[in-house]
Amino acid sequence: MSYLFYPAIRARYLFSQMETLQLGHSTFDDAQRVARRIDANPNGPCDRSVCEWAVRMDNVELPRWWRGSGAAFVVAFDVKDSVVVRKNTGYGIGKKTEFNPSSIGLLEQEHWGRSLIPEPVAAGWRSSDRYRYLEFTVYMTPKASAADRQRYTAYDYGCLWRYKGCKNARELLPTADPFPSDK
């Protein structure tokens, strides 16, 4: 029965290890140590000038009749010029190769540059005619408050082991902002 909980425990561990990296402060060596600890692999060429590591945890080993459509959790972090510059998490419902029908994304970097993304936190829903809670995305900088950080990382890891899993992004991150029509 303990195999049911492994994906959730592993996903929580991946996130906690990635969180030890500090944007603009952690070095390539720090990122490489975390990558080894969590068995993350580089996506493409990797050296001190540029490297991106990612690792995915899913529940495909659980029987489909138990897990429903399944869930996956991904952490990734990037180094540029020997310093960690970006951290991402993705949590979604669906197939092994894609998140469908629902996902949560958290992207964190020092600044969002010339983009129209407000700092230190911007978050919002994207929906479709078919899926009301299609996608919730959070853009964050290190200047985000502790309350915002806690709110937008309070993932329901139970979606990885619960009978029939979770149905949508609202269940993956229950503390997400209300959907516009829920207000």
Side-chain angles (χ1 to χ4, degrees), residues 42-101:
N43 293 337
C46 179
D47 60 33
R48 292 178 182 283
S49 65
V50 65
C51 189
E52 177 187 340
W53 287 275
V55 64
R56 177 187 180 98
M57 180 68 238
D58 58 41
N59 62 358
V60 297
E61 297 297 317
L62 299 177
R64 182 161 174 78
W65 64 266
W66 179 272
R67 67 177 159 81
S69 59
F73 188 80
V74 177
V75 298
F77 42 94
D78 302 4
V79 167
K80 186 173 182 185
D81 298 328
S82 296
V83 177
V84 175
V85 295
R86 183 176 164 126
K87 300 188 300 186
N88 323 353
T89 59
Y91 191 18
I93 296 169
K95 302 173 187 169
K96 187 172 183 173
T97 57
E98 62 184 62
F99 291 147
N100 182 17

Short mmCIF file of all heavy atoms in Angstrom, two decimals, residues 42-101:
data_model
loop_
_atom_site.label_atom_id
_atom_site.label_comp_id
_atom_site.label_asym_id
_atom_site.label_seq_id
_atom_site.Cartn_x
_atom_site.Cartn_y
_atom_site.Cartn_z
N PRO A 42 20.01 17.28 -17.39
CA PRO A 42 20.04 18.51 -18.18
C PRO A 42 19.20 18.36 -19.45
O PRO A 42 19.15 17.28 -20.05
CB PRO A 42 21.51 18.69 -18.54
CG PRO A 42 22.27 17.67 -17.78
CD PRO A 42 21.32 16.64 -17.29
N ASN A 43 18.55 19.43 -19.83
CA ASN A 43 17.84 19.48 -21.11
C ASN A 43 18.79 20.12 -22.12
O ASN A 43 18.90 21.33 -22.18
CB ASN A 43 16.56 20.33 -21.01
CG ASN A 43 15.53 19.68 -20.13
OD1 ASN A 43 15.54 18.48 -19.92
ND2 ASN A 43 14.62 20.49 -19.59
N GLY A 44 19.49 19.32 -22.86
CA GLY A 44 20.43 19.83 -23.85
C GLY A 44 21.81 20.04 -23.26
O GLY A 44 22.13 19.54 -22.18
N PRO A 45 22.65 20.81 -24.00
CA PRO A 45 24.02 21.06 -23.54
C PRO A 45 24.01 21.74 -22.17
O PRO A 45 23.13 22.54 -21.87
CB PRO A 45 24.59 22.00 -24.60
CG PRO A 45 23.69 21.86 -25.78
CD PRO A 45 22.35 21.45 -25.26
N CYS A 46 25.02 21.42 -21.38
CA CYS A 46 25.05 21.95 -20.02
C CYS A 46 26.47 22.30 -19.63
O CYS A 46 27.36 21.44 -19.62
CB CYS A 46 24.48 20.89 -19.06
SG CYS A 46 24.48 21.40 -17.33
N ASP A 47 26.69 23.57 -19.33
CA ASP A 47 27.95 24.02 -18.74
C ASP A 47 27.64 25.26 -17.91
O ASP A 47 26.48 25.65 -17.79
CB ASP A 47 29.03 24.28 -19.80
CG ASP A 47 28.65 25.34 -20.81
OD1 ASP A 47 27.94 26.31 -20.44
OD2 ASP A 47 29.06 25.23 -21.97
N ARG A 48 28.65 25.86 -17.36
CA ARG A 48 28.44 27.00 -16.46
C ARG A 48 27.78 28.19 -17.15
O ARG A 48 27.14 29.01 -16.50
CB ARG A 48 29.76 27.43 -15.84
CG ARG A 48 30.31 26.41 -14.89
CD ARG A 48 31.66 26.85 -14.30
NE ARG A 48 32.17 25.82 -13.43
CZ ARG A 48 31.74 25.60 -12.20
NH1 ARG A 48 30.79 26.34 -11.70
NH2 ARG A 48 32.26 24.63 -11.47
N SER A 49 27.91 28.28 -18.46
CA SER A 49 27.33 29.42 -19.16
C SER A 49 25.81 29.28 -19.31
O SER A 49 25.09 30.27 -19.23
CB SER A 49 27.98 29.62 -20.53
OG SER A 49 27.70 28.51 -21.36
N VAL A 50 25.34 28.05 -19.50
CA VAL A 50 23.90 27.84 -19.62
C VAL A 50 23.58 26.36 -19.38
O VAL A 50 24.25 25.48 -19.90
CB VAL A 50 23.35 28.31 -20.99
CG1 VAL A 50 23.91 27.50 -22.12
CG2 VAL A 50 21.85 28.30 -21.01
N CYS A 51 22.57 26.14 -18.55
CA CYS A 51 22.13 24.78 -18.28
C CYS A 51 20.72 24.81 -17.70
O CYS A 51 20.39 25.70 -16.91
CB CYS A 51 23.08 24.10 -17.29
SG CYS A 51 22.74 22.32 -17.12
N GLU A 52 19.91 23.85 -18.12
CA GLU A 52 18.58 23.69 -17.54
C GLU A 52 18.42 22.24 -17.12
O GLU A 52 18.65 21.33 -17.92
CB GLU A 52 17.48 24.04 -18.55
CG GLU A 52 16.10 23.81 -17.98
CD GLU A 52 14.98 23.99 -19.00
OE1 GLU A 52 15.22 24.63 -20.03
OE2 GLU A 52 13.88 23.47 -18.74
N TRP A 53 18.06 22.03 -15.86
CA TRP A 53 17.80 20.69 -15.35
C TRP A 53 16.31 20.54 -15.12
O TRP A 53 15.62 21.49 -14.73
CB TRP A 53 18.49 20.46 -14.01
CG TRP A 53 19.96 20.30 -14.07
CD1 TRP A 53 20.65 19.16 -14.30
CD2 TRP A 53 20.94 21.31 -13.84
NE1 TRP A 53 22.00 19.40 -14.24
CE2 TRP A 53 22.20 20.71 -13.95
CE3 TRP A 53 20.88 22.68 -13.55
CZ2 TRP A 53 23.40 21.41 -13.78
CZ3 TRP A 53 22.05 23.38 -13.38
CH2 TRP A 53 23.29 22.74 -13.50
N ALA A 54 15.80 19.33 -15.33
CA ALA A 54 14.39 19.05 -15.07
C ALA A 54 14.22 17.61 -14.63
O ALA A 54 15.01 16.74 -15.01
CB ALA A 54 13.55 19.30 -16.33
N VAL A 55 13.19 17.40 -13.83
CA VAL A 55 12.84 16.05 -13.41
C VAL A 55 11.33 15.99 -13.24
O VAL A 55 10.70 16.98 -12.84
CB VAL A 55 13.58 15.62 -12.11
CG1 VAL A 55 13.19 16.47 -10.94
CG2 VAL A 55 13.36 14.15 -11.82
N ARG A 56 10.76 14.85 -13.58
CA ARG A 56 9.31 14.67 -13.56
C ARG A 56 8.96 13.48 -12.68
O ARG A 56 9.64 12.45 -12.70
CB ARG A 56 8.84 14.41 -14.99
CG ARG A 56 7.39 14.12 -15.14
CD ARG A 56 7.11 13.72 -16.60
NE ARG A 56 5.74 13.43 -16.82
CZ ARG A 56 4.86 14.28 -17.33
NH1 ARG A 56 5.24 15.47 -17.70
NH2 ARG A 56 3.60 13.94 -17.49
N MET A 57 7.90 13.65 -11.92
CA MET A 57 7.36 12.56 -11.10
C MET A 57 5.90 12.39 -11.47
O MET A 57 5.17 13.37 -11.51
CB MET A 57 7.48 12.95 -9.61
CG MET A 57 6.95 11.92 -8.65
SD MET A 57 7.97 10.45 -8.65
CE MET A 57 6.80 9.23 -9.10
N ASP A 58 5.50 11.17 -11.80
CA ASP A 58 4.09 10.96 -12.13
C ASP A 58 3.60 9.69 -11.44
O ASP A 58 4.35 9.01 -10.76
CB ASP A 58 3.86 10.89 -13.65
CG ASP A 58 4.68 9.80 -14.31
OD1 ASP A 58 4.77 8.70 -13.75
OD2 ASP A 58 5.22 10.06 -15.39
N ASN A 59 2.34 9.41 -11.62
CA ASN A 59 1.75 8.24 -10.97
C ASN A 59 1.32 7.18 -11.98
O ASN A 59 0.40 6.41 -11.71
CB ASN A 59 0.59 8.64 -10.06
CG ASN A 59 -0.56 9.28 -10.81
OD1 ASN A 59 -0.50 9.49 -12.01
ND2 ASN A 59 -1.60 9.62 -10.07
N VAL A 60 2.01 7.08 -13.11
CA VAL A 60 1.64 6.11 -14.14
C VAL A 60 1.83 4.67 -13.69
O VAL A 60 1.27 3.76 -14.29
CB VAL A 60 2.36 6.35 -15.49
CG1 VAL A 60 1.99 7.68 -16.08
CG2 VAL A 60 3.86 6.20 -15.34
N GLU A 61 2.62 4.46 -12.64
CA GLU A 61 2.81 3.09 -12.13
C GLU A 61 1.58 2.58 -11.38
O GLU A 61 1.42 1.38 -11.18
CB GLU A 61 4.04 3.03 -11.22
CG GLU A 61 5.34 3.35 -11.93
CD GLU A 61 5.68 2.36 -13.03
OE1 GLU A 61 5.53 1.14 -12.82
OE2 GLU A 61 6.10 2.82 -14.11
N LEU A 62 0.73 3.49 -10.94
CA LEU A 62 -0.50 3.07 -10.27
C LEU A 62 -1.49 2.60 -11.32
O LEU A 62 -1.53 3.13 -12.44
CB LEU A 62 -1.11 4.23 -9.47
CG LEU A 62 -0.26 4.81 -8.35
CD1 LEU A 62 -0.97 5.99 -7.70
CD2 LEU A 62 0.10 3.76 -7.34
N PRO A 63 -2.32 1.64 -11.00
CA PRO A 63 -3.30 1.16 -11.98
C PRO A 63 -4.24 2.29 -12.42
O PRO A 63 -4.66 3.11 -11.61
CB PRO A 63 -4.08 0.08 -11.24
CG PRO A 63 -3.32 -0.22 -10.01
CD PRO A 63 -2.42 0.94 -9.73
N ARG A 64 -4.57 2.32 -13.69
CA ARG A 64 -5.44 3.38 -14.23
C ARG A 64 -6.78 3.42 -13.51
O ARG A 64 -7.33 4.49 -13.28
CB ARG A 64 -5.63 3.20 -15.72
CG ARG A 64 -6.49 4.32 -16.31
CD ARG A 64 -6.31 4.41 -17.81
NE ARG A 64 -7.21 5.35 -18.41
CZ ARG A 64 -7.06 6.67 -18.39
NH1 ARG A 64 -6.03 7.21 -17.78
NH2 ARG A 64 -7.93 7.47 -18.97
N TRP A 65 -7.33 2.26 -13.17
CA TRP A 65 -8.62 2.24 -12.48
C TRP A 65 -8.54 2.96 -11.14
O TRP A 65 -9.53 3.48 -10.66
CB TRP A 65 -9.16 0.81 -12.30
CG TRP A 65 -8.32 -0.06 -11.42
CD1 TRP A 65 -7.34 -0.92 -11.82
CD2 TRP A 65 -8.38 -0.17 -10.00
NE1 TRP A 65 -6.77 -1.54 -10.73
CE2 TRP A 65 -7.40 -1.09 -9.59
CE3 TRP A 65 -9.17 0.44 -9.02
CZ2 TRP A 65 -7.18 -1.43 -8.26
CZ3 TRP A 65 -8.94 0.10 -7.70
CH2 TRP A 65 -7.97 -0.83 -7.33
N TRP A 66 -7.32 3.04 -10.55
CA TRP A 66 -7.15 3.74 -9.27
C TRP A 66 -6.88 5.23 -9.49
O TRP A 66 -7.52 6.07 -8.89
CB TRP A 66 -6.00 3.12 -8.46
CG TRP A 66 -5.80 3.85 -7.16
CD1 TRP A 66 -5.01 4.94 -6.92
CD2 TRP A 66 -6.46 3.58 -5.93
NE1 TRP A 66 -5.13 5.34 -5.63
CE2 TRP A 66 -6.02 4.51 -4.99
CE3 TRP A 66 -7.39 2.60 -5.52
CZ2 TRP A 66 -6.46 4.54 -3.68
CZ3 TRP A 66 -7.82 2.62 -4.20
CH2 TRP A 66 -7.36 3.58 -3.30
N ARG A 67 -5.92 5.53 -10.34
CA ARG A 67 -5.44 6.91 -10.47
C ARG A 67 -6.30 7.79 -11.36
O ARG A 67 -6.12 9.00 -11.39
CB ARG A 67 -4.01 6.92 -10.98
CG ARG A 67 -3.83 6.41 -12.39
CD ARG A 67 -2.38 6.52 -12.85
NE ARG A 67 -2.09 5.64 -13.94
CZ ARG A 67 -2.39 5.89 -15.22
NH1 ARG A 67 -2.95 7.01 -15.54
NH2 ARG A 67 -2.09 5.01 -16.15
N GLY A 68 -7.22 7.22 -12.12
CA GLY A 68 -7.99 8.03 -13.06
C GLY A 68 -7.11 8.44 -14.22
O GLY A 68 -6.30 7.66 -14.71
N SER A 69 -7.20 9.69 -14.66
CA SER A 69 -6.41 10.13 -15.80
C SER A 69 -4.95 10.38 -15.44
O SER A 69 -4.13 10.62 -16.31
CB SER A 69 -7.02 11.38 -16.43
OG SER A 69 -7.10 12.42 -15.49
N GLY A 70 -4.62 10.33 -14.15
CA GLY A 70 -3.23 10.47 -13.74
C GLY A 70 -2.84 11.90 -13.44
O GLY A 70 -3.57 12.85 -13.72
N ALA A 71 -1.68 12.04 -12.84
CA ALA A 71 -1.13 13.36 -12.51
C ALA A 71 0.39 13.30 -12.60
O ALA A 71 0.99 12.23 -12.43
CB ALA A 71 -1.57 13.79 -11.12
N ALA A 72 1.00 14.44 -12.87
CA ALA A 72 2.45 14.53 -12.96
C ALA A 72 2.90 15.84 -12.33
O ALA A 72 2.18 16.85 -12.36
CB ALA A 72 2.91 14.47 -14.41
N PHE A 73 4.10 15.81 -11.77
CA PHE A 73 4.69 16.99 -11.14
C PHE A 73 6.10 17.15 -11.70
O PHE A 73 6.86 16.17 -11.78
CB PHE A 73 4.75 16.79 -9.62
CG PHE A 73 5.16 18.01 -8.86
CD1 PHE A 73 4.24 19.01 -8.60
CD2 PHE A 73 6.46 18.16 -8.42
CE1 PHE A 73 4.61 20.15 -7.89
CE2 PHE A 73 6.84 19.29 -7.72
CZ PHE A 73 5.91 20.29 -7.45
N VAL A 74 6.46 18.36 -12.11
CA VAL A 74 7.75 18.63 -12.73
C VAL A 74 8.43 19.79 -12.01
O VAL A 74 7.76 20.78 -11.68
CB VAL A 74 7.58 19.02 -14.22
CG1 VAL A 74 8.92 19.36 -14.86
CG2 VAL A 74 6.88 17.93 -14.99
N VAL A 75 9.73 19.67 -11.77
CA VAL A 75 10.52 20.81 -11.32
C VAL A 75 11.64 21.01 -12.33
O VAL A 75 12.15 20.05 -12.91
CB VAL A 75 11.10 20.65 -9.89
CG1 VAL A 75 10.00 20.52 -8.87
CG2 VAL A 75 12.07 19.51 -9.79
N ALA A 76 12.00 22.28 -12.53
CA ALA A 76 13.10 22.61 -13.45
C ALA A 76 13.77 23.87 -12.93
O ALA A 76 13.13 24.71 -12.28
CB ALA A 76 12.56 22.84 -14.86
N PHE A 77 15.06 23.98 -13.21
CA PHE A 77 15.79 25.19 -12.83
C PHE A 77 16.88 25.43 -13.85
O PHE A 77 17.43 24.50 -14.44
CB PHE A 77 16.33 25.12 -11.39
CG PHE A 77 16.94 23.80 -11.00
CD1 PHE A 77 18.30 23.58 -11.12
CD2 PHE A 77 16.14 22.78 -10.51
CE1 PHE A 77 18.85 22.36 -10.76
CE2 PHE A 77 16.68 21.57 -10.14
CZ PHE A 77 18.05 21.35 -10.27
N ASP A 78 17.18 26.72 -14.07
CA ASP A 78 18.13 27.14 -15.11
C ASP A 78 19.28 27.91 -14.50
O ASP A 78 19.09 28.71 -13.58
CB ASP A 78 17.45 28.08 -16.11
CG ASP A 78 16.25 27.48 -16.80
OD1 ASP A 78 15.86 26.36 -16.48
OD2 ASP A 78 15.70 28.17 -17.67
N VAL A 79 20.45 27.72 -15.09
CA VAL A 79 21.64 28.48 -14.74
C VAL A 79 22.09 29.23 -15.99
O VAL A 79 22.03 28.69 -17.10
CB VAL A 79 22.78 27.54 -14.27
CG1 VAL A 79 24.10 28.27 -14.21
CG2 VAL A 79 22.44 26.93 -12.93
N LYS A 80 22.47 30.46 -15.78
CA LYS A 80 23.04 31.26 -16.86
C LYS A 80 24.21 32.03 -16.26
O LYS A 80 24.06 32.63 -15.20
CB LYS A 80 22.00 32.22 -17.44
CG LYS A 80 22.51 32.96 -18.65
CD LYS A 80 21.43 33.78 -19.30
CE LYS A 80 22.00 34.45 -20.52
NZ LYS A 80 21.06 35.34 -21.15
N ASP A 81 25.34 31.99 -16.93
CA ASP A 81 26.55 32.66 -16.45
C ASP A 81 26.88 32.28 -15.00
O ASP A 81 27.13 33.14 -14.16
CB ASP A 81 26.44 34.18 -16.61
CG ASP A 81 26.27 34.60 -18.06
OD1 ASP A 81 26.82 33.91 -18.94
OD2 ASP A 81 25.55 35.59 -18.31
N SER A 82 26.78 30.98 -14.71
CA SER A 82 27.16 30.38 -13.43
C SER A 82 26.23 30.70 -12.26
O SER A 82 26.57 30.44 -11.11
CB SER A 82 28.59 30.77 -13.03
OG SER A 82 29.50 30.24 -13.96
N VAL A 83 25.04 31.28 -12.52
CA VAL A 83 24.11 31.63 -11.44
C VAL A 83 22.71 31.12 -11.78
O VAL A 83 22.28 31.17 -12.94
CB VAL A 83 24.07 33.17 -11.26
CG1 VAL A 83 23.07 33.58 -10.19
CG2 VAL A 83 25.44 33.71 -10.90
N VAL A 84 22.00 30.65 -10.77
CA VAL A 84 20.62 30.19 -10.98
C VAL A 84 19.76 31.41 -11.28
O VAL A 84 19.72 32.37 -10.52
CB VAL A 84 20.08 29.44 -9.73
CG1 VAL A 84 18.61 29.08 -9.91
CG2 VAL A 84 20.90 28.19 -9.46
N VAL A 85 19.07 31.36 -12.44
CA VAL A 85 18.28 32.52 -12.88
C VAL A 85 16.78 32.23 -12.99
O VAL A 85 15.99 33.17 -13.14
CB VAL A 85 18.78 33.05 -14.25
CG1 VAL A 85 20.19 33.61 -14.13
CG2 VAL A 85 18.68 31.98 -15.32
N ARG A 86 16.39 30.96 -12.91
CA ARG A 86 14.97 30.65 -13.08
C ARG A 86 14.65 29.31 -12.42
O ARG A 86 15.45 28.38 -12.46
CB ARG A 86 14.65 30.58 -14.57
CG ARG A 86 13.22 30.34 -14.91
CD ARG A 86 13.08 30.40 -16.42
NE ARG A 86 11.84 29.83 -16.86
CZ ARG A 86 10.96 30.45 -17.62
NH1 ARG A 86 11.19 31.67 -18.03
NH2 ARG A 86 9.87 29.86 -17.99
N LYS A 87 13.44 29.24 -11.83
CA LYS A 87 12.93 28.00 -11.27
C LYS A 87 11.48 27.85 -11.74
O LYS A 87 10.76 28.83 -11.79
CB LYS A 87 12.95 28.02 -9.73
CG LYS A 87 14.33 28.21 -9.15
CD LYS A 87 14.40 28.04 -7.65
CE LYS A 87 13.55 28.96 -6.86
NZ LYS A 87 13.73 28.86 -5.40
N ASN A 88 11.09 26.62 -12.08
CA ASN A 88 9.72 26.38 -12.53
C ASN A 88 9.19 25.12 -11.87
O ASN A 88 9.93 24.18 -11.64
CB ASN A 88 9.59 26.07 -14.02
CG ASN A 88 10.47 26.79 -14.95
OD1 ASN A 88 11.19 27.69 -14.60
ND2 ASN A 88 10.41 26.37 -16.18
N THR A 89 7.88 25.10 -11.68
CA THR A 89 7.19 23.86 -11.35
C THR A 89 5.97 23.76 -12.24
O THR A 89 5.39 24.77 -12.63
CB THR A 89 6.73 23.79 -9.88
OG1 THR A 89 5.86 24.88 -9.61
CG2 THR A 89 7.88 23.82 -8.92
N GLY A 90 5.61 22.55 -12.55
CA GLY A 90 4.39 22.28 -13.29
C GLY A 90 3.70 21.11 -12.63
O GLY A 90 4.35 20.15 -12.21
N TYR A 91 2.41 21.21 -12.48
CA TYR A 91 1.64 20.14 -11.84
C TYR A 91 0.40 19.99 -12.69
O TYR A 91 -0.33 20.95 -12.89
CB TYR A 91 1.30 20.54 -10.42
CG TYR A 91 0.74 19.47 -9.52
CD1 TYR A 91 0.85 18.11 -9.80
CD2 TYR A 91 0.11 19.83 -8.35
CE1 TYR A 91 0.35 17.16 -8.93
CE2 TYR A 91 -0.40 18.89 -7.48
CZ TYR A 91 -0.28 17.55 -7.78
OH TYR A 91 -0.78 16.61 -6.91
N GLY A 92 0.17 18.81 -13.21
CA GLY A 92 -0.94 18.67 -14.13
C GLY A 92 -1.62 17.33 -14.08
O GLY A 92 -1.09 16.34 -13.57
N ILE A 93 -2.78 17.33 -14.64
CA ILE A 93 -3.59 16.13 -14.77
C ILE A 93 -3.53 15.71 -16.22
O ILE A 93 -3.62 16.55 -17.12
CB ILE A 93 -5.05 16.43 -14.37
CG1 ILE A 93 -5.11 16.81 -12.90
CG2 ILE A 93 -5.95 15.24 -14.66
CD1 ILE A 93 -6.43 17.36 -12.47
N GLY A 94 -3.35 14.43 -16.45
CA GLY A 94 -3.39 13.96 -17.82
C GLY A 94 -2.33 12.94 -18.15
O GLY A 94 -1.78 12.29 -17.29
N LYS A 95 -2.06 12.86 -19.43
CA LYS A 95 -1.17 11.85 -19.98
C LYS A 95 0.27 12.09 -19.58
O LYS A 95 0.63 13.16 -19.13
CB LYS A 95 -1.28 11.87 -21.50
CG LYS A 95 -2.69 11.62 -21.99
CD LYS A 95 -2.75 11.83 -23.49
CE LYS A 95 -4.20 11.75 -23.93
NZ LYS A 95 -4.37 12.18 -25.28
N LYS A 96 1.09 11.07 -19.82
CA LYS A 96 2.50 11.16 -19.45
C LYS A 96 3.24 12.25 -20.23
O LYS A 96 4.14 12.88 -19.71
CB LYS A 96 3.17 9.81 -19.69
CG LYS A 96 4.58 9.76 -19.19
CD LYS A 96 5.14 8.36 -19.26
CE LYS A 96 6.54 8.35 -18.67
NZ LYS A 96 7.07 7.04 -18.55
N THR A 97 2.85 12.51 -21.44
CA THR A 97 3.60 13.46 -22.27
C THR A 97 3.06 14.88 -22.25
O THR A 97 3.71 15.79 -22.72
CB THR A 97 3.62 12.98 -23.74
OG1 THR A 97 2.26 12.83 -24.18
CG2 THR A 97 4.37 11.68 -23.87
N GLU A 98 1.87 15.07 -21.72
CA GLU A 98 1.31 16.43 -21.70
C GLU A 98 0.32 16.57 -20.56
O GLU A 98 -0.20 15.61 -20.04
CB GLU A 98 0.61 16.75 -23.02
CG GLU A 98 -0.57 15.83 -23.31
CD GLU A 98 -1.19 16.10 -24.65
OE1 GLU A 98 -0.49 15.94 -25.65
OE2 GLU A 98 -2.36 16.47 -24.68
N PHE A 99 0.10 17.81 -20.16
CA PHE A 99 -0.91 18.09 -19.15
C PHE A 99 -2.22 18.36 -19.86
O PHE A 99 -2.32 19.26 -20.69
CB PHE A 99 -0.54 19.31 -18.32
CG PHE A 99 0.65 19.10 -17.44
CD1 PHE A 99 1.50 20.15 -17.16
CD2 PHE A 99 0.92 17.88 -16.86
CE1 PHE A 99 2.59 19.98 -16.34
CE2 PHE A 99 2.00 17.70 -16.02
CZ PHE A 99 2.83 18.76 -15.77
N ASN A 100 -3.21 17.57 -19.55
CA ASN A 100 -4.51 17.73 -20.18
C ASN A 100 -5.51 17.00 -19.32
O ASN A 100 -5.29 15.83 -19.02
CB ASN A 100 -4.45 17.12 -21.58
CG ASN A 100 -5.72 17.27 -22.34
OD1 ASN A 100 -6.58 18.07 -22.00
ND2 ASN A 100 -5.88 16.48 -23.38
N PRO A 101 -6.50 17.55 -18.83
CA PRO A 101 -7.09 18.82 -19.20
C PRO A 101 -6.72 20.00 -18.32
O PRO A 101 -7.24 21.10 -18.54
CB PRO A 101 -8.57 18.53 -19.04
CG PRO A 101 -8.64 17.61 -17.89
CD PRO A 101 -7.41 16.75 -18.02
#
